């Protein structure tokens, strides 16, 4: 009886060796995909390695790194925690979990993991650098919180444009009017402003504040859900995330024409952060909003929020190019941005997606009190943060915020509200767009080669009023001046994403 047992044991060992070898091969291929910035393919490769050998901490930690690049911080947190469970001395598990916490704005949790990793590997130079950076960031946040006083009145009421005279030395574009009569925004000024931005120059702070203040008043008058009518012989162009990629925004206008009463646009959130020309993007979009308030529509994204702007560069960029007061005015203005648009009563456009419960109506969205920073749960949070999933039902979000919703959830929502289609943004797509849920859910993303490293195309959608059938245009990225993405973010956030 001994011989068959020996043969069986040898066979089992051979099978294990084969599985381990296949797992390592899958990891090696996934590592190459990661280096090539094919992060979704890397996730799939590491998942195959885990399926073949679920005992290796490195597979989970590597998959966490790919999830981080895809901004799936909830999934990254889970993978990093699994890596630590498998090997409590594996410092990259703590690294990855700290990075995932950073991406979610949970600085104290990130600091805790960096400290735990340092206790395991006290001489690791990269770890010591990250620990020091995180400690500084936490101290900065605590300092700002200690200095912050409750706002007694809106920031806009503290701004006196007359205290910002245009100096004789200013050589940029001028609005029509004068200090005595006041200034007026015109199309000629906006076109000149785009040219000024193109050569990396700013406009005078007086004119920048003027644009933001006027846009703010228009947003204040808008409902949380805006109904947009498109005539039978007219159209509207819907764009997704732009993320501070000003030169790609100019390319959209080159391909599709400038916004006008005859060429309306809807930009679906995430105008700022990541890309380092966010000031130029948001001032351009707001200027067109002021020119054409009924034909230029802007929706709030999850990055139009104070927490995201502190982490991902916009606040730092505004302070560098203008001042703290303007950063505060942007924060206040973002809180007035609408949360959703419905086109011709048939297509709902939101930045993120749908909800963690059934039965939500368009009137429920209209009733949202949106003038606040986005909460961590509820309808407003889910409109800004949720993502579609291929499977039915709902699941925890891969981001750690919002919810993942399936095709049945999409169809039920559309049927209940008499809609044909859901359009959303919020996710990088290789082609710039993706059609999901049997054609009922479309993602559009308009920042090609996102962060100068993803290699994706951008896209926009045109809807004709007569049919409301989506027509897609895809485009590649265009060159921009040598300013890296995340240039105005804290060093610790730049390093997390490879900058």
């Amino acid at each position: 009886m001994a011989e068959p047992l020996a043969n069986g044991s040898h066979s089992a060992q051979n099978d294990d060796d084969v599985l381990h070898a296949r797992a390592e091969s899958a990891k090696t291929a996934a590592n190459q995909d990661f280096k090539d910035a094919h992060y979704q393919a890397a996730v799939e490769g590491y998942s195959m390695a885990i399926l073949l050998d679920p005992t290796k901490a490195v597979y989970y930690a590597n998959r966490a790194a790919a999830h981080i690049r895809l901004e799936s911080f909830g999934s990254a947190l889970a993978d990093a925690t699994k890596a630590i469970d498998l090997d409590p001395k594996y410092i990259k598990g703590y690294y990855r979990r700290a990075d995932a916490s950073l991406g979610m704005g949970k600085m104290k949790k990130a600091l805790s993991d960096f400290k735990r990793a340092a206790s395991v590997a006290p001489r690791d130079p990269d770890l010591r650098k990250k620990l020091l950076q995180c400690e500084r960031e936490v101290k900065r946040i605590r300092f700002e919180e200690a200095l912050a006083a409750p706002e007694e009145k809106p920031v806009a009421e503290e701004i006196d444009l007359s205290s910002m005279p245009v100096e004789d030395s200013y050589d940029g574009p001028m609005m029509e009017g004068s200090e005595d009569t006041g200034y007026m925004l015109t199309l000629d000024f906006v076109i000149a402003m785009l040219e000024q931005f193109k050569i990396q120059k700013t406009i005078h702070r007086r004119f920048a504040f003027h644009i933001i203040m006027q846009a703010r008043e228009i947003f204040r008058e808008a409902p949380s859900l805006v109904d947009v009518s498109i005539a039978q012989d007219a159209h509207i162009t819907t764009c997704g995330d732009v993320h501070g990629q000003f030169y790609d925004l100019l390319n959209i206008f080159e391909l599709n024409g400038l916004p006008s009463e005859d060429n309306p646009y809807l930009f679906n959130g995430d105008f700022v952060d990541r890309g380092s020309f966010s000031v130029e993007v948001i001032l351009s979009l707001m200027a067109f909003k002021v020119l054409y308030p009924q034909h230029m529509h802007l929706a709030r994204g999850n990055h139009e929020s104070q927490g995201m702007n502190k982490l991902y560069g916009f606040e730092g960029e505004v302070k560098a190019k203008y001042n703290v007061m303007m950063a505060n005015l942007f924060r206040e203005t973002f809180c007035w941005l609408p949360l959703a648009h419905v086109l011709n009563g048939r297509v709902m456009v939101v930045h993120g997606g749908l909800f963690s419960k059934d039965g939500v109506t368009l009137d429920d969205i209209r009733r949202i009190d949106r003038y606040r920073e986005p909460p961590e749960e509820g309808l407003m949070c889910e409109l800004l943060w949720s993502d579609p999933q291929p499977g039915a039902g709902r699941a925890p979000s891969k981001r750690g915020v919002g919810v993942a919703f399936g095709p049945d959830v999409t169809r039920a929502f559309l049927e209940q509200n008499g809609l044909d289609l859901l359009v959303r943004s919020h996710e990088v797509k290789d082609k710039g767009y993706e059609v999901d849920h049997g054609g009922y859910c479309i993602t559009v993303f308009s920042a090609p080669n996102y962060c100068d490293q993803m290699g994706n195309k951008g896209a926009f959608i045109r809807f004709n009023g007569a049919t409301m059938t989506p027509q897609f245009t895809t485009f590649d990225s265009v060159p921009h001046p040598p300013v890296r993405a995340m240039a105005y973010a804290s060093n610790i956030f730049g390093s997390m994403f490879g900058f």
Side-chain angles (χ1 to χ4, degrees), residues 265-294:
Y265 279 85
L266 165 55
F267 282 84
N268 195 30
D270 281 13
F271 322 119
V272 301
D273 282 339
R274 301 292 200 177
S276 296
F277 304 96
S278 292
V279 167
E280 291 81 357
V281 166
I282 191 59
L283 285 177
S284 300
L285 295 179
M286 285 186 171
F288 280 114
K289 179 65 178 177
V290 173
L291 281 179
Y292 310 113
Q294 302 304 316

Side-chain angles (χ1 to χ4, degrees), residues 199-235:
I199 60 174
Q200 292 185 270
K201 291 187 176 182
T202 59
I203 57 171
H204 194 277
R205 66 188 184 283
R206 169 74 178 262
F207 303 141
F209 273 105
H210 179 97
I211 291 168
I212 305 165
M213 296 272 283
Q214 287 204 323
R216 174 184 177 274
E217 291 308 304
I218 296 170
F219 295 137
R220 282 185 65 190
E221 297 300 317
S224 291
L225 184 152
V226 177
D227 290 287
V228 180
S229 296
I230 304 118
Q232 292 285 297
D233 58 349
H235 68 270

Side-chain angles (χ1 to χ4, degrees), residues 370-402:
R370 71 183 188 277
Y371 185 66
R372 53 180 169 158
E373 291 300 320
E376 294 189 2
E377 59 184 8
L379 299 187
M380 181 174 173
C381 168
E382 290 159 0
L383 282 167
L384 299 178
W385 280 96
S386 292
D387 297 291
Q389 65 176 16
R394 297 178 175 89
S397 170
K398 62 189 179 184
R399 300 176 189 269
V401 188

